[in-house]
Amino acid sequence: MSKAEFLQELEKRLHVLNEKERQDVLEEYAQHIDLKIANGMSEEEAVKDFGSIEELIAELLDAYSINAAYVSGGSQEQKADGDREKKLYQNVRKAVNETAEKAGQAAQSAGKAAERAGTRLWQLIRHFFLFWWNLACAAWERICRLVRRLTGRPSAEEAQSEQYQQREEEREKMREEKYERREKRREERRRRYEEGLEQRRERQAARMAGTQGRSWLRRFWDGCVRITWLCAVFCIKGALLLCAAPFLVFGLFSLFGTGMVAVLIAQGYPVVGIGVAALGLVLCTLGTVGILLSWVFTGKKKRENKQGYREEETK
Amino acid sequence: MNPQFKKGVLEMVVLVAVSRKDMYGYELVAEVSRVIDVNEGTIYPLLKRLTNEHYFETYLRESSEGPPRKYYHLTAAGVLYRETLVGEWHGFWKKVNDFLEENSNE
């Protein structure tokens, strides 16, 4: 017997144990066989060393306090008893099944017959009812016709059709009137729109002419003002420059004087006071010239700044 | 040897073997086979029974040579049981031996 066969047989015979225990036993034996094979034995020899499998199983079941005879199926007599019981049970089951089947078929046929009978009855009742109803309706109609003929009144259908025609004619008339009114209104609107358009065009043309004239005037006036302003600025700046010139000359002379005094001081002459005064003059004149020149050239810088600001605002 | 003799002492031999050190199944079979020659297959049912009766407890230990092995360890109840069996054995052996000596002299 090979290892697989041995383990398979063991598993089959230990079916009464729970899964965990059974697997535990099988793993132990499998490991034992593997260790024996690792030591040089063959599978068959390793399995043979376990001895009789029947005894093994009996001892294993005994370890779990399970009667091996009960698990294996018992003795021959018990087996025969079991077979008889099984057969009896099968016969009884078969008989019960057949009886139940026949009863089911009978019930099914009875049900179908009842259904047919019920359908037939319903059809009879329906026909009976419809027959009398139609008869009653026909009789009533005849009576109504007779009465109308005797009294001279038109029938409901006739009356209905005349009224219906009248109503239709009125409706048609109203529809036509509505349509005419709508058309008139549309015409009116179109005429007014065209008139309004014409007027708007005229007004626009007049406005444009006026605007153009005004812009020309404005431009002329702006030009004049600008020229005047430029002339004034030119005159003022020219005057400032003229004022600055003598100061500049005086400053230059002061500078020359300061240089001379410095030389005298260097040579040891006591002219320090004069030297300081001369230096002060130089600085004053230069400062005055600087102020005057800044008045002359500031306007350009302001204009450049203004232009820069305007460009930033437009962005 | 008479199988009934072997059957009688097997349980005690297994308990004594495991009391020295924890062993796994194959090792225990080899150890017991040194003392008495038994079917290897009968050791496992015995181990199962002794485990179910709480004389042994088992644990798995990793092995470098293959899958983890299940080791058997003697519990306190197992120790007591072993002591009882060994004591009974000594008493039994002495009585039987004495009886045999008496009868062999005659």
Side-chain angles (χ1 to χ4, degrees):
Chain A
M1 198 187 266
S2 69
K3 175 186 166 186
E5 285 167 5
F6 172 75
L7 293 173
Q8 210 171 1
E9 183 64 23
L10 210 60
E11 191 177 10
K12 201 173 77 176
R13 299 294 290 277
L14 294 176
H15 67 90
V16 73
L17 298 178
N18 72 38
E19 179 69 26
K20 189 171 168 274
E21 292 294 337
R22 195 163 60 245
Q23 287 304 320
D24 195 34
V25 168
L26 291 170
E27 275 166 19
E28 286 223 73
Y29 278 104
Q31 199 175 70
H32 192 99
I33 293 168
D34 291 337
L35 286 167
K36 293 198 104 173
I37 291 167
N39 284 341
M41 272 189 171
S42 67
E43 269 188 23
E44 284 74 21
E45 284 168 354
V47 169
K48 205 173 168 185
D49 274 351
F50 287 138
S52 159
I53 193 165
E54 294 294 334
E55 283 178 19
L56 197 65
I57 287 161
E59 283 179 26
L60 277 167
L61 291 172
D62 187 55
Y64 288 95
S65 308
I66 296 170
N67 187 353
Y70 172 76
V71 173
S72 68
S75 62
Q76 292 285 346
E77 284 174 1
Q78 283 174 340
K79 274 190 185 158
D81 283 343
D83 286 341
R84 270 200 297 272
E85 275 178 19
K86 218 189 241 180
K87 224 176 241 177
L88 182 66
Y89 170 71
Q90 278 171 356
N91 289 340
V92 166
R93 200 169 142 183
K94 196 175 167 187
V96 166
N97 279 347
E98 279 171 8
T99 314
E101 207 176 316
K102 280 182 188 159
Q105 280 170 357
Q108 207 175 15
S109 330
K112 279 185 184 160
E115 192 188 342
R116 280 196 296 268
T119 312
R120 187 80 190 128
L121 184 66
W122 166 246
Q123 280 171 353
L124 282 171
I125 291 169
R126 198 161 156 262
H127 282 138
F128 179 78
F129 177 72
L130 282 173
F131 171 75
W132 287 109
W133 175 254
N134 289 336
L135 196 63
C137 289
W140 178 251
E141 204 180 320
R142 286 223 175 134
I143 292 167
C144 289
R145 252 189 237 153
L146 189 64
V147 166
R148 275 198 297 272
R149 214 178 287 158
L150 288 171
T151 55
R153 277 195 299 178
S155 68
E157 286 159 357
E158 288 164 7
Q160 258 187 350
S161 68
E162 273 183 35
Q163 278 175 10
Y164 180 72
Q165 271 188 16
Q166 274 176 9
R167 270 205 296 268
E168 278 298 309
E169 279 169 17
E170 278 169 19
R171 260 189 232 137
E172 190 62 36
K173 214 186 271 177
M174 275 167 60
R175 252 183 259 145
E176 279 174 13
E177 282 171 13
K178 207 173 167 184
Y179 181 72
E180 276 174 24
R181 278 201 298 271
R182 206 186 305 153
E183 282 299 314
K184 267 186 202 164
R185 276 202 295 270
R186 249 188 229 155
E187 253 327 295
E188 189 64 33
R189 248 185 273 146
R190 209 178 296 137
R191 191 181 55 76
R192 264 189 263 156
Y193 175 72
E194 281 169 8
E195 279 175 15
L197 198 63
E198 201 52 48
Q199 283 172 6
R200 273 201 297 275
R201 277 194 200 131
E202 285 170 10
R203 277 202 294 268
Q204 210 169 358
R207 219 181 294 134
M208 275 176 69
T211 310
Q212 230 170 10
R214 274 202 295 277
S215 74
W216 275 110
L217 264 170
R218 182 164 285 170
R219 266 189 238 159
F220 179 70
W221 172 251
D222 284 345
C224 289
V225 164
R226 193 167 173 76
I227 289 167
T228 313
W229 172 251
L230 281 170
C231 289
V233 165
F234 182 73
C235 291
I236 290 165
K237 285 190 179 172
L240 283 171
L241 274 169
L242 283 170
C243 292
F247 277 102
L248 192 65
V249 169
F250 186 67
L252 284 168
F253 275 119
S254 305
L255 195 64
F256 179 68
T258 309
M260 282 185 65
V261 168
V263 166
L264 288 172
I265 290 167
Q267 284 177 354
Y269 286 101
V271 289
V272 174
I274 298 169
V276 168
L279 187 65
L281 262 173
V282 165
L283 290 171
C284 280
T285 37
L286 282 175
T288 311
V289 166
I291 287 166
L292 288 170
L293 286 176
S294 72
W295 286 345
V296 170
F297 295 111
T298 305
K300 192 181 173 185
K301 207 175 178 181
K302 272 189 189 168
R303 271 204 300 283
E304 280 173 4
N305 285 342
K306 266 191 193 169
Q307 271 181 0
Y309 290 141
R310 276 200 203 120
E311 277 169 14
E312 279 177 14
E313 277 175 11
T314 50
K315 276 179 194 170
Chain B
M1 192 200 268
N2 189 317
Q4 295 301 322
F5 289 170
K6 288 193 242 181
K7 228 178 185 177
V9 300
L10 184 60
E11 202 175 47
M12 185 183 66
V13 168
V14 164
L15 284 166
V16 168
V18 176
S19 68
R20 267 190 268 131
K21 67 167 187 166
D22 294 355
M23 290 188 187
Y24 57 94
Y26 184 77
E27 193 185 8
L28 189 56
V29 165
E31 184 70 13
V32 168
S33 298
R34 287 195 308 116
V35 180
I36 42 178
D37 181 32
V38 285
N39 262 338
E40 291 175 9
T42 58
I43 299 285
Y44 286 102
L46 176 63
L47 291 173
K48 271 288 165 208
R49 185 167 63 75
L50 291 171
T51 309
N52 290 343
E53 288 171 2
H54 306 293
Y55 296 134
F56 284 143
E57 58 189 16
T58 59
Y59 60 91
L60 288 170
R61 201 196 284 179
E62 291 293 330
S63 163
S64 54
E65 292 155 5
R69 288 173 181 167
K70 190 158 108 176
Y71 278 75
Y72 291 88
H73 168 76
L74 202 62
T75 61
V79 168
L80 286 172
Y81 186 52
R82 184 206 67 191
E83 295 299 319
T84 311
L85 283 180
V86 167
E88 282 177 5
W89 165 256
H90 284 307
F92 175 71
W93 175 83
K94 192 171 178 313
K95 279 184 183 168
V96 168
N97 216 29
D98 289 345
F99 177 75
L100 288 173
E101 276 177 7
E102 274 174 27
N103 285 305
S104 67
N105 287 340
E106 287 171 11

